[in-house]
Amino acid sequence: MLSRLRAFVVRALAWTPLSLLGLGALLGSLLIFRFYAWPREDHVARVALAAISLAVLQSSIVVSWAAWRTRRWLHDRSTPPTPIHMQAERGEAEGLRMPRFGHWLGVRIEAVWTDDRVRSKWRDRDGDRLERLSGRRRGRWSSVERLFSVESVFGLARVSFRHRERREIRVTPWSGPGLELPDLLALSAGEAVSQPSGRPLGDRVDMRAYSPGDPPRWLLWKVFARTGELMVRTPEAAGDPQVRWALYLVNAPDDEAGAGVAADLIRRGRLGRDWAFGCDAHPGPLEDELEALSALESSADTDRTPGQGLGHFLSKLGDARLIVLAPPTLGVWTDALRSLALRTSAVVWVVSDGPQTQRAAWFYEPEDSPRVLAPPEDRNRIQSALAGRPLAFLNRRTGRRAA
């Protein structure tokens, strides 16, 4: 009952410039004046209560004026907003820059984003209010909605309103230091054969007549004993067949580490020239770098079941070697992997940010970071659920395989 009453009072105060503190101060002053100061003719109490009431009235007027000026400035400003581009969890960007209306009268103006994937902090700089943004999670937006709060310095009056601004926002995933290259090349070790279209039965050899300068170890003495001619061996150059890599990201609430690894592999060209990318939000397959990165960034707010698009991705993929980037916690995506007949060349990479004990105290770690760490018990559950499939645990913070 008390919570309902409080919610009703908060909704009612939204239509007035008074805050809960200001309303309490005003009602308390009236009650004390009526039942104490007036009957006893206490002039000191009357003056004090009148001062409190005037302070509440002055705060309400000043806050209402500052809120009106702020809304008018937001509506009339002619400077086109510049696009915002920053990196999730590590980067910062400058957002809104606006005058400090009514600050000399004790008014404070702040705003928060209605989308909780971006944090905002306000600072005073060069006489203006500057908004500093930091992304908690990757994403793309064409507009941003802010909840403005105009409040007096003592909290006696407050006005809140929403404002939507059309601006391109792009938050790219933090890729970390990048995976060690041997982690990727180890999957194709031993593929070099003498003839890419032939069978890997060993190096084929050819012969030619000896010429001065040829190494003696290339001489074919058995041929010389049989024919009397000096012949040398010319090994045919071995070639590594072109491997087409396919990368699939399982979208889940804790897939930020996997998204960072995917962005690193795509952006640095570590998948080679022929590759494909897909995720649950955009099963694809996508083969253009800009399209893949755009799909990767916008996949954070998908409502699809983790692993749902993997079947469609495999049906459109063709011949390729598949890498599945999975979240560090057990979920329905393991059922999707078990139900699909994955090819033997497919491997699952479970990407996290390592155990809690490996996080350095001096390293910048946001307090409300959405990253999910992978404790040993989660790894054991994932290993049991995906028994028999190639599996590796990667640490995005170090770029190495987890111990």
Side-chain angles (χ1 to χ4, degrees):
M1 183 64 182
L2 185 60
S3 60
R4 293 183 180 179
L5 179 61
R6 180 182 176 84
F8 173 77
V9 173
V10 171
R11 286 196 300 269
L13 290 177
W15 297 91
T16 66
L18 290 177
S19 63
L20 284 175
L21 180 61
L23 179 62
L26 185 60
L27 293 179
S29 300
L30 293 177
L31 292 176
I32 294 175
F33 182 85
R34 173 65 181 82
F35 296 103
Y36 178 81
W38 181 263
R40 299 193 179 195
E41 297 185 358
D42 190 338
H43 297 291
V44 175
R46 292 180 181 180
V47 173
L49 296 174
I52 294 176
S53 301
L54 289 177
V56 174
L57 179 61
Q58 182 265 348
S59 298
S60 302
I61 295 175
V62 171
V63 166
S64 300
W65 173 81
W68 173 76
R69 287 293 308 274
T70 303
R71 300 191 69 168
R72 182 177 178 181
W73 180 86
L74 291 172
H75 183 269
D76 296 342
R77 64 185 182 133
S78 57
T79 305
T82 58
I84 296 178
H85 181 204
M86 57 183 169
Q87 195 176 52
E89 304 181 58
R90 292 298 183 271
E92 286 190 350
E94 181 177 323
L96 195 62
R97 191 184 186 103
M98 59 181 299
R100 297 187 299 168
F101 297 109
H103 70 281
W104 62 90
L105 297 174
V107 176
R108 182 175 58 246
I109 303 176
E110 292 190 359
V112 296
W113 286 37
T114 56
D115 195 319
D116 60 354
R117 289 178 293 176
V118 176
R119 297 182 299 265
S120 60
K121 294 181 180 180
W122 289 85
R123 301 174 182 174
D124 294 334
R125 180 179 297 179
D126 300 332
D128 294 334
R129 291 287 283 169
L130 179 63
E131 182 186 34
R132 298 296 300 178
L133 303 174
S134 58
R136 298 180 61 249
R137 192 162 163 78
R138 68 190 187 278
R140 279 176 175 255
W141 300 268
S142 59
S143 63
V144 53
E145 185 182 46
R146 295 183 179 90
L147 177 60
F148 281 84
S149 176
V150 184
E151 185 178 11
S152 62
V153 67
F154 296 109
L156 298 176
R158 178 186 300 163
V159 172
S160 300
F161 62 91
R162 295 177 182 268
H163 178 266
R164 180 172 292 276
E165 177 188 27
R166 292 198 171 274
R167 175 182 288 196
E168 181 182 352
I169 314 294
R170 181 186 175 190
V171 181
T172 59
W174 176 58
S175 59
L179 292 181
E180 291 184 348
L181 193 58
D183 285 341
L184 184 59
L185 294 183
L187 298 177
S188 59
E191 296 292 337
V193 294
S194 58
Q195 174 67 5
S197 61
R199 299 174 59 189
L201 298 178
D203 289 339
R204 298 179 180 180
V205 298
D206 197 0
M207 295 181 299
R208 63 173 175 80
Y210 172 81
S211 60
D214 287 336
R217 60 188 178 87
W218 285 4
L219 289 172
L220 296 174
W221 297 108
K222 292 183 180 180
V223 176
F224 174 76
R226 187 173 64 250
T227 63
E229 297 182 6
L230 281 177
M231 305 292 295
V232 294
R233 176 183 55 186
T234 57
E236 184 179 357
D240 193 2
Q242 183 68 31
V243 177
R244 186 189 185 209
W245 292 100
L247 197 63
Y248 188 87
L249 175 66
V250 176
N251 290 135
D254 49 355
D255 66 346
E256 194 66 24
V261 171
D264 176 73
L265 295 176
I266 295 174
R267 192 179 295 114
R268 298 190 184 185
R270 307 183 74 173
L271 297 175
R273 291 176 297 179
D274 191 9
W275 54 272
F277 172 77
C279 57
D280 292 328
H282 305 275
L286 304 174
E287 300 177 353
D288 181 72
E289 179 180 347
L290 295 180
E291 293 181 359
L293 292 176
S294 176
L296 177 65
E297 294 164 4
S298 61
S299 64
D301 54 354
T302 181
D303 54 355
R304 295 190 177 184
T305 305
Q308 179 182 358
L310 186 55
H312 175 78
F313 180 75
L314 290 175
S315 64
K316 302 291 185 180
L317 181 59
D319 187 17
R321 185 161 298 173
L322 179 63
I323 299 175
V324 179
L325 297 176
T329 52
L330 195 65
V332 296
W333 60 271
T334 56
D335 299 332
L337 290 180
R338 284 198 304 263
S339 61
L340 292 173
L342 287 180
R343 59 202 67 186
T344 57
S345 59
V347 64
V348 179
W349 285 357
V350 179
V351 188
S352 69
D353 287 287
Q356 179 76 22
T357 56
Q358 294 182 1
R359 297 167 69 183
W362 55 267
F363 201 69
Y364 172 70
E365 297 287 350
E367 296 179 356
D368 55 348
S369 176
R371 294 176 293 142
V372 178
L373 305 176
E377 52 269 21
D378 284 345
R379 298 182 191 175
N380 296 335
R381 296 191 189 101
I382 294 175
Q383 285 178 338
S384 300
L386 299 177
R389 302 194 183 280
L391 181 63
F393 291 89
L394 303 180
N395 189 331
R396 177 177 62 158
R397 292 184 65 251
T398 61
R400 302 175 181 177
R401 293 181 183 270

